[in-house]
Amino acid sequence: FMRRHGIPTAPHHAFADLEAARRYLATQPAPYVIKADGLAAGKGVLICATREEAEQGLRAMLVDKAFGASGEQVVIEGFLRGEEASYFAICDGTDFVPCPAAQDHKPLGDLDRGPNTGGMGAYCPAPLVTPAVERRVIERIVRPTLAGMAAEGHPFQGVLYVGLMIDDADVPHVVEYNCRFGDPECQPLLMLLASDLAELLEAAADGQVSRVQPRWRTGAAACIVMASGGYPGPCEQGFPIHGLEALPDSPDCRVFHAGTARRNGDWVNHGGRVLGVTAWGADLGAALAAGYRLVSRVGWQGAIYRKDIGLKGLKRDPGGRPATNVAL
Ligand code: GLY
């Protein structure tokens, strides 16, 4: 789709045959990105530093069927360098309303170390997406995507999530599309929405999204994900979560339940990502300080969370200031 419509993404090719895939690999520079073509619960992407590693990955998917039917076809992509951002547009088939850009933190550990996860935290707006970058995202990606979908007989109505890689020259490329909000990007994004979400979605469903101009709060919001010990592998579950009842309930700080359950009157952790601790502040530093203050009041045995959510944003945003208890 992106090739047909001239939408910038990594160079790529799909293969079902190991030998053909190996021959293509030999013509491409390292590092390599190998993706199972089907859905693999976020785990079907390998970043390979060498050709040997990439060939092992290809063999695991195409011959050993490590990802089952999802890996019967693989996509070999060029490696995009830069910083990632998540861009959301509420679309009505031809037109759209843009949302402030967010940034997720996919690796498990501080400073982007460790295995990839569904997302360990997010903040919004992301200073990486300057007005100039946003104009490029809209003109080179969002508009051609909507026009291409309509031209091919599938006008897109709903939330378009464009996963972006923005390179050093501020040029955005598409890493992925999703037809939904992001988790955890949705939490800080919607904390900034000051008008009615339902009205906006209804207008999109009616094909008249420009009828509604959403109002966004000033300042910033941040979400710190608290996860179970062991995540993203098998998790230790069933431990009572302390501190939830004593938290303030306000539009400026919300703890979203993702993987919890009620047991004998207690909340317990029940899943990988358990809580999305989300706070608003007058700037990113204030939002992070408020979010980490909430995190310090909640916990359970084995709980883990990143201590550097928003750090990249703070480094870029001259108005931001380090949150007092962001360890890094
Ligand atoms: N946070 C990444 C996603 O929602 O896909």
Side-chain angles (χ1 to χ4, degrees):
F1 176 83
M2 288 188 269
R3 212 183 274 157
R4 285 197 298 279
H5 296 284
I7 295 166
T9 188
H12 56 275
H13 249 284
F15 298 93
D17 173 67
L18 178 63
E19 282 317 307
R22 289 185 62 212
R23 278 198 299 277
Y24 175 75
L25 213 54
T27 66
Q28 300 300 309
Y32 308 95
V33 180
I34 313 282
K35 291 181 173 176
D37 196 34
L39 292 175
K43 295 183 182 141
V45 181
L46 306 174
I47 314 280
C48 304
T50 64
R51 206 155 95 203
E52 290 67 38
E53 229 178 279
E55 290 195 358
Q56 273 171 21
L58 288 174
R59 200 165 290 114
M61 288 188 197
L62 290 171
V63 181
D64 304 336
K65 308 277 183 235
F67 293 99
S70 298
E72 277 174 7
Q73 176 158 284
V74 298
V75 182
I76 302 178
E77 282 190 5
F79 181 79
L80 292 174
R81 287 170 211 283
E83 210 178 304
E84 281 188 79
S86 305
Y87 193 79
F88 302 93
I90 317 282
C91 306
D92 70 2
T94 48
D95 205 357
F96 69 95
V97 162
C99 302
Q103 188 172 54
D104 189 10
H105 298 60
K106 297 226 174 67
L108 179 71
D110 291 340
L111 300 178
D112 287 342
R113 298 198 176 113
N116 254 3
T117 69
M120 295 299 292
Y123 62 94
C124 184
L128 167 68
V129 182
T130 59
V133 171
E134 182 172 18
R135 274 195 298 277
R136 287 182 189 148
V137 172
I138 289 175
E139 294 310 324
R140 298 179 191 179
I141 297 171
V142 177
R143 284 196 203 287
T145 299
L146 289 187
M149 292 293 283
E152 295 193 14
H154 309 288
F156 181 79
Q157 276 176 293
V159 180
L160 178 66
Y161 166 155
V162 192
L164 297 166
M165 184 68 81
I166 295 161
D167 70 16
D168 287 349
D170 279 353
V171 176
H173 286 77
V174 177
V175 176
E176 62 172 345
Y177 288 113
N178 289 300
C179 307
R180 54 172 174 81
F181 282 115
D183 182 10
E185 295 97 312
C186 185
Q187 290 86 316
L189 175 66
L190 290 190
M191 196 165 261
L192 292 182
L193 182 63
S195 50
D196 188 354
L197 175 66
E199 193 189 10
L200 181 60
L201 297 180
E202 232 167 29
D206 290 345
Q208 298 180 12
V209 78
S210 53
R211 191 178 76 199
V212 176
Q213 283 308 313
R215 279 179 292 108
W216 301 100
R217 296 174 75 182
T218 55
C223 173
I224 299 128
V225 169
M226 298 182 75
S228 297
Y231 179 73
C235 296
E236 303 148 16
Q237 301 188 35
F239 298 112
I241 303 173
H242 66 78
L244 283 174
E245 269 77 13
L247 291 180
D249 181 28
S250 96
D252 292 349
C253 47
R254 283 270 152 83
V255 175
F256 294 97
H257 289 228
T260 61
R262 253 334 207 183
R263 202 157 296 157
N264 303 326
D266 283 331
W267 288 110
V268 297
N269 68 317
H270 186 70
R273 291 186 293 171
V274 177
L275 299 174
V277 180
T278 310
W280 174 88
D283 57 30
L284 179 57
L288 288 165
Y292 276 107
R293 262 197 306 276
L294 290 178
V295 166
S296 71
R297 294 169 60 178
V298 183
W300 64 92
Q301 192 177 318
I304 53 175
Y305 60 91
R306 276 181 63 157
K307 320 259 179 330
D308 66 339
I309 300 302
L311 193 64
K312 285 184 204 159
L314 287 179
K315 284 184 178 162
R316 280 180 188 274
D317 181 6
R321 58 195 155 78
T324 45
N325 47 2
V326 174
L328 296 169

